[in-house]
């Protein structure tokens, strides 16, 4: 009897220590952001032979927009982010060797708004007011914070209205690449 009780307690202990997996279908924005920043987000689409193909984008929805915008104030440089699998281009602006977390999170919001899951082919913004050479260098962190405020104002103004059909960037020179 003691042995059976010991085994039961030990089993419960190990079950409670088991780490919960990230749920791609019901994602937690804070957990996603933390894993991206730590470089531990590793949910890949798998090939026929089991090889990692590309990072999967969680199934973010309208209910995640507010949190994604809030976390987009983080302009940390990151090395990996779930990318649009149909893009065949280099996903980084010319001359930049990193993604900007806040920009990627706003791109995710844009993917929710446009119903494609991805904001565009690649997760960075360009400023069309600049000459061709300079516009493809992408934005700096300070500019991403300006875009964050534009998205925040858009969401606060349209979240209870027709938010999908109102482009937050329509009256700016910024577009998703």
């Amino acid at each position: 009897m003691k042995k059976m009780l010991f085994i039961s307690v030990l089993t419960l202990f190990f079950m409670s220590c088991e780490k919960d997996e990230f749920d791609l279908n019901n994602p937690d924005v804070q957990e996603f952001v933390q894993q991206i920043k730590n470089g531990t987000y590793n949910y890949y689409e798998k090939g026929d032979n089991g090889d990692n193909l590309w990072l999967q984008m969680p199934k973010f929805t309208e209910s995640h927009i507010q949190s994604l915008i809030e976390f987009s104030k983080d302009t940390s440089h990151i090395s990996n982010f779930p990318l649009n699998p149909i893009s065949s281009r280099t996903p980084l602006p010319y001359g930049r060797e990193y993604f900007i977390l806040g920009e990627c999170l706003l791109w995710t919001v844009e993917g929710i708004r446009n119903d494609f899951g991805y904001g565009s082919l690649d997760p960075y913004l360009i400023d069309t007011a600049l000459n061709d050479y300079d516009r493809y260098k992408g934005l700096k962190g300070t500019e991403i914070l300006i875009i964050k405020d534009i998205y925040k104002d858009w969401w606060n103004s349209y979240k209870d209205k027709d938010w999908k059909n109102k482009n937050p960037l329509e009256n700016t020179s910024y577009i998703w690449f």
Side-chain angles (χ1 to χ4, degrees), residues 55-175:
L55 286 174
Q56 294 181 35
M57 179 66 79
K59 307 283 189 268
F60 291 117
T61 65
E62 175 184 352
S63 67
H64 299 104
I65 290 176
Q66 182 73 42
S67 293
L68 287 163
I69 292 171
E70 287 174 19
F71 280 105
S72 71
K73 67 184 174 209
D74 188 334
T75 58
S76 298
H77 297 177
I78 56 174
S79 57
N80 285 311
F81 196 82
L83 301 174
N84 189 335
I86 67 167
S87 179
S88 60
R89 301 185 294 215
T90 301
L92 297 169
Y94 177 74
R96 195 168 84 188
E97 301 292 324
Y98 55 85
F99 297 102
I100 298 174
L101 177 60
E103 185 174 35
C104 290
L105 296 175
L106 292 172
W107 182 71
T108 304
V109 170
E110 188 63 20
I112 298 167
R113 188 186 75 78
N114 69 22
D115 275 333
F116 295 127
Y118 302 95
S120 61
L121 285 177
D122 300 304
Y124 67 91
L125 289 154
I126 61 172
D127 185 349
T128 61
L130 300 175
N131 65 51
D132 282 347
Y133 177 77
D134 289 331
R135 77 174 54 168
Y136 295 108
K137 290 181 178 179
L139 305 183
K140 295 178 178 35
T142 53
E143 294 169 296
I144 300 303
L145 294 176
I146 292 168
I147 303 300
K148 175 202 62 91
D149 288 341
I150 291 169
Y151 269 84
K152 184 178 178 182
D153 290 345
W154 159 79
W155 185 244
N156 288 336
S157 296
Y158 292 96
K159 65 182 170 190
D160 296 323
K161 299 176 186 163
D162 191 19
W163 59 272
K164 282 191 175 196
N165 291 315
K166 177 66 175 166
N167 181 351
L169 302 177
E170 76 179 335
N171 294 319
T172 73
S173 59
Y174 300 106
I175 62 170

